[in-house]
Amino acid sequence: MTRVKAFKSQTILSKLMIGFGILFLLVGIFAIVKLFIGDSGSESSSVDWTGFLQGFQGLFFIGLGAYNLRNEKYYIEWDEHQLRFFLPDTKQLETIDFADIDSINIRLFEIELYFKDEKRTLDLNSLKDEDLKKVKYKFEPLQKALK
């Protein structure tokens, strides 16, 4: 069984983004609390926006890291008889038997699978280059056999 991830992302970078996001959020909260609790001296009447901006930046990093971690669950896998994929457009596991495919059209970043009554397009734009080559390498002999 060969499996490739459907998105180019690295788990360690996503976790680092979440970690830095939490750090920035805590610094921002500390700065905001210090602004409201601290001395309201008369030396300046302007508001220090640094805490708000750091808090927003922290929330942004946390959201981006969580989004990347959520995309880790999507994949394309195959063996000698079946293709299985779990992609964000359907959000459910789909299984295709290679015997049910009538024809295949391989394009640069997508593979079109034609069946008797439908057409299914696999969008490969988000794959890493080496994973894209693996998927295309699997479908090229099938495409030639079906012609």
Side-chain angles (χ1 to χ4, degrees):
M1 178 89 35
T2 305
R3 179 183 280 210
V4 295
K5 291 182 181 180
F7 286 95
K8 305 178 223 179
S9 64
Q10 295 181 355
T11 306
I12 189 70
L13 291 179
S14 299
K15 290 180 180 179
L16 276 173
M17 271 194 268
I18 291 173
F20 280 118
I22 291 170
L23 179 69
F24 287 146
L25 183 62
L26 291 175
V27 169
I29 290 172
F30 177 74
I32 292 169
V33 168
K34 186 177 177 186
L35 176 70
F36 287 121
I37 293 177
D39 292 338
S40 57
S42 60
E43 62 268 353
S44 174
S45 63
S46 66
V47 177
D48 185 16
W49 289 94
T50 306
F52 293 106
L53 293 175
Q54 284 181 334
F56 176 75
Q57 184 179 11
L59 288 174
F60 180 74
F61 274 130
I62 290 170
L64 192 60
Y67 176 77
N68 285 339
L69 283 178
R70 189 185 75 204
N71 285 337
E72 288 286 320
K73 64 183 175 184
Y74 299 117
Y75 63 89
I76 300 171
E77 69 180 3
W78 63 88
D79 59 13
E80 295 301 318
H81 305 289
Q82 287 185 336
L83 169 71
R84 285 178 289 282
F85 51 91
F86 184 58
L87 297 174
D89 57 344
T90 59
K91 295 196 185 329
Q92 63 183 4
L93 179 64
E94 293 191 35
T95 304
I96 296 174
D97 290 326
F98 289 131
D100 294 340
I101 300 173
D102 290 335
S103 67
I104 299 172
N105 186 13
I106 300 174
R107 296 190 179 185
L108 186 60
F109 289 112
E110 67 183 17
I111 295 177
E112 294 175 342
L113 305 172
Y114 294 94
F115 304 99
K116 292 177 184 165
D117 55 348
E118 70 176 309
K119 172 183 134 181
R120 177 74 177 135
T121 302
L122 294 177
D123 183 19
L124 307 176
N125 197 24
S126 59
L127 293 178
K128 293 180 184 176
D129 290 337
E130 59 269 6
D131 292 339
L132 179 65
K133 289 177 186 176
K134 285 181 189 178
V135 173
K136 284 186 172 183
Y137 182 75
K138 174 62 182 174
F139 280 99
E140 285 172 352
L142 290 172
Q143 181 185 25
K144 290 178 183 175
L146 292 173
K147 285 190 176 185

